[in-house]
Amino acid sequence: MKQIVPPKPNNSQQPDQQNFGKNSVSKFVYKTIKYSSEVAVSMVEQQRKDALLMGQRSSSKFIPNLYGYCSVGVMMDFMPEGNMHDYIKGARISARESKSGNSINESEKILRPVDRLKIAIHIATSVADLHGDDESMPSFFHNDICCHQYLFQDGLFKLNDFNYAKAILVKHGGQSSKQGKELCLRSSFGMRLWKGRSLEEHQKSLNPSDPSGYRPDKIDVWMMGNVIYIILTDLYTFEFPKPLSTKEATAELVAGRRSAYPGHIANSTDPAYVAIKKALDMCWTQDWRERPSAREVSNYLMRKLREITGEKDPDLKVTLPQRDPDQKPTDSEYTKMAY
């Protein structure tokens, strides 16, 4: 197995590399494919990309550390607190219990507005760090951003699973060539169109012969907006006021309409909610040419958090509501809503 020594991240979770495997108390896991799966060459290539990007971007505190990889397996940070969908499922279960009168302590089962703002910062900053600001380094876009791709560790959500990532090419001479022409970003891994994909893909599904290009990084920005919406509302996109099918959602998106907010969010003047809604407007800008970068969204959210807390360097860690210990790690609702 090849050992990866990532750059020193901006947090205290990175073990001393000299003590790695000796006195280090850091825990890591071996992540690989299901034992029942047949190994294909494409899987090896996908895992290579996952390891390459995780190792290259480990300086971000919103991307897990990588310790080694081989073929279809990687050794990465141990994330015992689950992924973002585990939180979302727990929040939705708690909401139903509250409506039925079974909730014991409502305040312990929901996130504060400012914590939702902090998680929105986790999401936007992780994507910005993946895209990169350094012109001397290759840029990549994730291409599969959803709530399952965010793992929770020590108060922070971290973006992982870069198996489907693609390079953002740069022309000779350093000029960016970020406009792509591929008609279906899912074609290389056989994913169907679903509501959580980008506006551009929904547009292409209605007009496959459209030769229009796009900026791959702006595809990620749209999809990260979908995840921020879920964190803000505890709802999937186009679930409220009534669930829409993928076909119906496509028609809404192409017409310029967006997922609605429930009343307590739509009418709220809480500065954290106001900031997140503004960030969603940024992510969901109809014309990708006018859509801000992930870094611009991240910087905006950080600026608003500083204004709310009055702190120059506010703590970005959150404490998630305690989940029901009997909560099952299933995706039935996620699948049912065709998110």
Side-chain angles (χ1 to χ4, degrees):
M1 174 172 285
K2 182 177 180 180
Q3 181 177 334
I4 305 296
V5 181
K8 193 76 170 178
N10 300 323
N11 60 27
S12 59
Q13 303 306 316
Q14 173 71 10
D16 183 346
Q17 293 296 334
Q18 292 180 346
N19 292 329
F20 182 79
K22 298 177 183 178
N23 302 320
S24 174
V25 295
S26 295
K27 293 183 179 180
F28 52 86
V29 295
Y30 178 71
K31 182 181 77 170
T32 187
I33 62 174
K34 294 180 179 179
Y35 289 121
S36 58
S37 301
E38 291 289 333
V39 177
V41 174
S42 60
M43 294 179 181
V44 177
E45 172 60 14
Q46 289 170 3
Q47 196 61 75
R48 185 191 68 81
K49 288 192 291 184
D50 188 28
L52 171 69
L53 287 177
M54 201 184 309
Q56 189 180 83
R57 296 296 194 258
S58 286
S59 58
S60 169
K61 63 182 177 182
F62 299 106
I63 292 176
N65 289 324
L66 176 73
Y67 303 103
Y69 86 94
C70 181
S71 185
V72 292
V74 298
M75 288 199 305
M76 59 177 286
D77 278 343
F78 180 47
M79 304 284 194
E81 297 170 272
N83 64 34
M84 190 178 286
H85 185 257
D86 293 329
Y87 155 72
I88 293 164
K89 182 173 182 178
R92 292 164 67 88
I93 291 173
S94 295
R96 287 196 292 269
E97 290 177 346
S98 177
K99 289 179 181 179
S100 64
N102 295 328
S103 180
I104 299 174
N105 190 337
E106 178 72 10
S107 64
E108 293 182 357
K109 292 182 177 291
I110 60 175
L111 281 170
R112 300 177 304 157
V114 72
D115 286 334
R116 295 179 194 268
L117 174 57
K118 290 179 180 181
I119 295 176
I121 291 171
H122 300 173
I123 296 167
T125 308
S126 66
V127 176
D129 289 348
L130 172 63
H131 291 170
D133 299 314
D134 186 350
E135 289 294 332
S136 68
M137 293 183 66
S139 295
F140 295 86
F141 69 108
H142 190 282
N143 198 26
D144 190 26
I145 294 174
C146 70
C147 54
H148 289 79
Q149 313 295 32
Y150 282 91
L151 303 176
F152 193 68
Q153 180 189 46
D154 298 327
L156 301 174
F157 277 107
K158 302 186 178 187
L159 179 62
N160 89 128
D161 275 356
F162 304 106
N163 308 68
Y164 300 146
K166 294 188 176 184
I168 302 174
L169 303 180
V170 176
K171 291 180 180 179
H172 179 70
Q175 296 297 315
S176 295
S177 177
K178 294 194 175 185
Q179 183 168 325
K181 294 290 185 182
E182 187 179 352
L183 295 182
C184 182
L185 292 167
R186 311 175 312 283
S187 60
S188 61
F189 49 94
M191 180 184 289
R192 63 178 173 81
L193 181 66
W194 46 288
K195 289 189 285 186
R197 296 299 296 185
S198 66
L199 168 66
E200 286 70 28
E201 289 171 282
H202 286 278
Q203 291 172 327
K204 296 285 187 183
S205 73
L206 297 182
N207 187 9
S209 61
D210 182 0
S212 301
Y214 56 85
R215 279 269 300 270
D217 51 326
K218 299 301 182 69
I219 298 294
D220 275 358
V221 172
W222 183 281
M223 287 193 284
M224 83 183 194
N226 294 337
V227 183
I228 292 173
Y229 173 87
I230 297 173
I231 284 297
L232 173 63
T233 63
D234 293 332
L235 297 169
Y236 299 120
T237 54
F238 290 108
E239 179 183 2
F240 177 83
K242 67 174 184 177
L244 300 185
S245 67
T246 298
K247 184 176 180 180
E248 291 169 331
T250 296
E252 292 293 295
L253 288 170
V254 172
R257 292 185 285 271
R258 304 290 180 259
S259 297
Y261 298 119
H264 72 284
I265 298 291
N267 302 322
S268 177
T269 57
D270 187 290
Y273 283 159
V274 172
I276 299 172
K277 288 186 288 185
K278 172 61 178 177
L280 282 172
D281 288 341
M282 297 168 72
C283 293
W284 287 345
T285 300
Q286 191 82 359
D287 187 340
W288 64 262
R289 299 168 187 83
E290 300 176 5
R291 195 176 303 155
S293 67
R295 185 67 67 196
E296 289 174 297
V297 177
S298 171
N299 289 344
Y300 166 77
L301 291 169
M302 274 300 305
R303 186 167 66 251
K304 290 301 177 181
L305 180 62
R306 292 187 181 105
E307 291 176 5
I308 292 170
T309 63
E311 300 172 352
K312 183 179 179 180
D313 188 23
D315 184 7
L316 293 178
K317 292 186 177 183
V318 300
T319 300
L320 296 180
Q322 186 173 1
R323 293 198 302 267
D324 185 332
D326 296 325
Q327 177 180 320
K328 301 294 189 299
T330 60
D331 290 342
S332 55
E333 279 193 337
Y334 182 90
T335 304
K336 179 182 178 181
M337 294 299 172
Y339 175 72

